[in-house]
Amino acid sequence: MAHSEEVTNVQDDYNSDNRHLYSLNELDDYEVADDNPDIRGWPVKTRDGSVIGKVDDLIVDTTAMKVRYIDLEINQDVRSDDDNDHALVPIGVARLDDNDDDVYLDQIASIDSLRAYPTGRRGLINRDYEQKIIRYYWRSDPDQNAGSELVRTEEPAVGSDSSFYDQRYFDDQRLYANRRRS
């Protein structure tokens, strides 16, 4: 399958440093590795178990040969804005349920906390949007808190160099840590 017109147009919206990010659904030479489940279509849940949407696609970094984001299609009854029906979720902040085909976002406590999440329209990815997502997780990270005082570690990398994806938010091993073994 060749790149569709939508992907071509989406690529025009990318910053020059993001031309390596593509939708897995649009890449005919890429597939999920045999030892990893294909999570497209799986329900996505908050920490409290509320279903907020489904995995619509995976966003692949073709340079590094890694999945960088889950493309979350947000359920209509959960959306705060009808125009913004998708959200990118860094692969390292999601986890797979060990028993069911569900994806959990533990740092999103409930549907109400999703309202502050940076959303967008399908396919529009630029570094500014990526930075907003990382800052969201960095601010809501329980590892950033100690006792009653907020303790901040070093700001997340937000530049355009390759170190941006060296953050733990992009550690795909975190997603698959609890996966069901066949």
Side-chain angles (χ1 to χ4, degrees):
M1 167 187 342
H3 289 287
S4 73
E5 183 114 347
E6 180 181 353
V7 170
T8 303
N9 291 338
V10 167
Q11 295 307 311
D12 292 341
D13 290 330
Y14 280 54
N15 288 336
S16 61
D17 60 335
N18 284 340
R19 293 199 184 266
H20 59 279
L21 296 175
Y22 295 90
S23 160
L24 183 59
N25 286 339
E26 300 299 329
L27 297 172
D28 58 349
D29 293 340
Y30 291 79
E31 60 185 33
V32 176
D34 287 339
D35 57 341
N36 293 326
D38 186 347
I39 63 173
R40 290 176 289 181
W42 288 19
V44 177
K45 298 180 176 183
T46 59
R47 183 173 56 224
D48 71 1
S50 301
V51 177
I52 56 173
K54 69 173 185 167
V55 177
D56 186 52
D57 205 351
L58 300 171
I59 305 301
V60 178
D61 179 340
T62 57
T63 303
M65 300 290 291
K66 290 181 171 265
V67 173
R68 295 298 189 192
Y69 293 100
I70 292 170
D71 178 358
L72 165 65
E73 182 178 348
I74 303 169
N75 288 345
Q76 189 167 4
D77 60 330
V78 175
R79 294 180 205 153
S80 58
D81 181 349
D82 284 338
D83 290 337
N84 297 325
D85 58 350
H86 283 258
L88 292 183
V89 176
I91 197 74
V93 301
R95 72 172 169 85
L96 302 184
D97 185 285
D98 196 27
N99 298 312
D100 296 314
D101 291 344
D102 295 322
V103 177
Y104 278 87
L105 305 180
D106 292 329
Q107 283 183 254
I108 299 177
S110 65
I111 289 174
D112 287 339
S113 60
L114 180 68
R115 307 228 186 274
Y117 198 92
T119 60
R121 292 186 317 274
R122 183 170 196 237
L124 294 179
I125 305 169
N126 59 37
R127 187 47 58 96
D128 181 56
Y129 181 40
E130 288 184 289
Q131 290 170 345
K132 286 177 184 174
I133 294 165
I134 296 307
R135 285 188 182 113
Y136 172 88
Y137 283 104
W138 184 75
R139 284 191 304 269
S140 66
D141 191 338
D143 293 341
Q144 300 294 334
N145 297 297
S148 61
E149 290 186 39
L150 189 61
V151 176
R152 295 281 184 210
T153 58
E154 184 178 327
E155 281 270 347
V158 293
S160 60
D161 62 359
S162 62
S163 67
F164 182 79
Y165 296 112
D166 290 340
Q167 301 177 75
R168 65 189 162 104
Y169 306 110
F170 298 103
D171 180 1
D172 60 350
Q173 296 307 305
R174 294 168 61 114
L175 173 71
Y176 296 116
N178 293 331
R179 80 172 184 262
R180 200 174 33 230
R181 305 264 182 215
S182 331

